[in-house]
Amino acid sequence: MRHPGQKLRILVLDPAPGEYTDFYHPLGRLGRVDFYPSIAEITEAAAASGPEEHPAMLLDLDTLAAADKAQVQRVLSFRPGIPAGAVTATPPEEHLELLGNHGLLQTIVKTPPTNPGEAMHLVECVVDPASGFGLFSYLQNTIEMYNLSISTMAEKNRSVERVINHFATAGFDVHQLFDVRLILEEAINNAFYHAFRLPSGEKKYNPRTFQSLESQERIRIEYGTSAEGAGFTVSDNAGTLRPEVVLDRFYGQVRQTGTFDVHGRGLHLSRLLSSFYIINIEERKRTQIIALFDSRRRTSRPKPLMINFIGNRTGSLVWTPPERDMD
């Protein structure tokens, strides 16, 4: 087991790492970084790595997409002993099927401009997905942070207004506040109506009849600002969301598999309208949505796709389009 502060050995599949030195150079603070131009070479290095090195792999997404399936399966067969994430200079949306087929839940963007602290943190999330939980991990030089607990629609409405008012005092204009409200309400509604389940597995609450969560059920909102931007989290204590469901929703919206398919539309819009949208899942314990807003929001730079999952996964999470139940 790696203890906090212990150095990593980061194995990087990238045929042209010199083009992304701003991204890779800071990773040297985490440990030794070794580059491999081909899947065969990184596979050989992974096979020779010992657990005492605390190895982790970062795999260039375009290189994986050009390889045959057997090669990709071989390099990923070292999981979970060697955690693996993807890096990309192109939008992760272009390779959603590949990500889903091989259970690659974390895709980090290496395209400039890069934030050294953020790059290091996202690699830590690949090594230990628990590092991805909590707003504080993403707001550098935090100025203010608050948290709220909600169990009824009245509490939801009051909480939404408090968050919006805080963002307004941070300089967000009316158009930006509209986007924040849309994403926040979407995340809260998903928590109310999709997170909590009956023993049969059916959804417990319905928007038409909902009154209040039960005493043991929790939804929490965390929000705050920093010098660079602002963000919020919405967390439930059910942890019933599955990573393959999230990928399926994104896939359906990006590929437009159904012209009138509303499943996942809110999730897709939330990712488009925020600078960075993170989904954290601790199986059967909690699900957390994080939305961040800063100057990158309206740029053409690709956005990371981060699903930090703690739970039962042996090898990859096989792509099996599930019953659609998330908006």
Side-chain angles (χ1 to χ4, degrees):
M1 177 181 292
R2 176 176 176 245
H3 299 292
Q6 283 188 307
K7 296 296 185 179
L8 299 168
R9 183 186 176 198
I10 304 172
L11 312 177
V12 180
L13 170 66
D14 196 325
E19 297 179 17
Y20 305 100
T21 54
D22 287 349
F23 172 77
Y24 286 122
H25 181 71
L27 302 187
R29 301 178 206 170
L30 299 176
R32 174 179 161 189
V33 182
D34 295 325
F35 296 98
Y36 303 92
S38 70
I39 292 183
E41 288 170 286
I42 196 172
T43 300
E44 183 178 348
S49 298
E52 71 282 353
E53 296 179 289
H54 306 296
M57 292 188 291
L58 297 180
L59 308 173
D60 178 68
L61 196 49
D62 286 339
T63 304
L64 293 182
D68 63 61
K69 188 174 181 180
Q71 285 183 302
V72 180
Q73 289 176 332
R74 172 59 179 154
V75 73
L76 292 175
S77 68
F78 296 99
R79 298 181 300 182
I82 303 180
V87 290
T88 186
T90 55
E93 295 87 342
E94 295 179 4
H95 300 295
L96 281 172
E97 189 167 358
L98 183 149
L99 295 172
N101 282 334
H102 296 288
L104 282 165
L105 303 180
Q106 298 146 308
T107 302
I108 306 170
V109 172
K110 58 184 179 178
T111 309
T114 58
N115 180 309
E118 180 180 86
M120 293 167 60
H121 174 241
L122 296 184
V123 173
E124 288 281 12
C125 291
V126 171
V127 176
D128 179 11
S131 300
F133 285 75
L135 184 62
F136 188 78
S137 300
Y138 298 88
L139 291 183
Q140 299 177 19
N141 306 312
T142 304
I143 297 173
E144 293 183 77
M145 189 172 292
Y146 305 91
N147 64 80
L148 304 164
S149 179
I150 60 176
S151 60
T152 67
M153 293 310 294
E155 290 173 347
K156 170 204 164 180
N157 294 335
R158 288 194 297 268
S159 297
V160 168
E161 294 309 317
R162 287 184 62 176
V163 175
I164 295 302
N165 289 339
H166 179 77
F167 274 59
T169 63
F172 281 61
D173 63 32
V174 63
H175 303 291
Q176 294 169 321
L177 292 175
F178 178 86
D179 292 346
V180 173
R181 182 185 294 272
L182 185 153
I183 298 168
L184 178 58
E185 295 215 14
E186 175 70 22
I188 296 173
N189 288 340
N190 272 328
F192 270 130
Y193 305 127
H194 298 302
F196 302 102
R197 302 278 171 156
L198 296 169
S200 63
E202 295 179 90
K203 288 181 283 188
K204 188 173 183 178
Y205 298 114
N206 185 296
R208 293 185 296 274
T209 59
F210 176 76
Q211 297 293 322
S212 176
L213 298 178
E214 293 188 10
S215 59
Q216 76 276 13
E217 298 167 340
R218 298 281 185 275
I219 295 176
R220 296 196 66 83
I221 299 173
E222 186 181 26
Y223 61 100
T225 50
S226 70
E228 292 79 23
F232 65 76
T233 73
V234 176
S235 306
D236 65 62
N237 67 339
T240 55
L241 181 59
R242 292 291 303 173
E244 59 267 35
V245 172
V246 178
L247 288 172
D248 181 65
R249 297 301 178 267
F250 283 137
Y251 184 83
Q253 290 297 315
V254 171
R255 297 289 183 250
Q256 297 182 346
T257 54
T259 305
F260 301 104
D261 187 359
V262 299
H263 296 287
R265 184 176 295 170
L267 188 70
H268 181 56
L269 281 174
S270 295
R271 185 165 180 271
L272 290 178
L273 295 175
S274 56
S275 299
F276 192 2
Y277 192 76
I278 305 106
I279 298 174
N280 296 322
I281 305 167
E282 185 172 8
E283 192 174 28
R284 298 294 170 182
K285 291 187 177 180
R286 55 178 172 161
T287 297
Q288 181 179 82
I289 300 298
I290 303 179
L292 304 174
F293 306 85
D294 58 31
S295 59
R296 298 173 296 179
R297 191 164 76 99
R298 296 299 188 184
T299 68
S300 59
R301 183 177 185 265
K303 297 181 181 182
L305 179 58
M306 296 292 289
I307 306 171
N308 297 308
F309 177 67
I310 304 170
N312 180 27
R313 62 176 295 170
T314 54
S316 64
L317 292 161
V318 179
W319 178 274
T320 50
E323 179 185 354
R324 298 180 177 276
D325 63 353
M326 185 177 180
D327 291 338

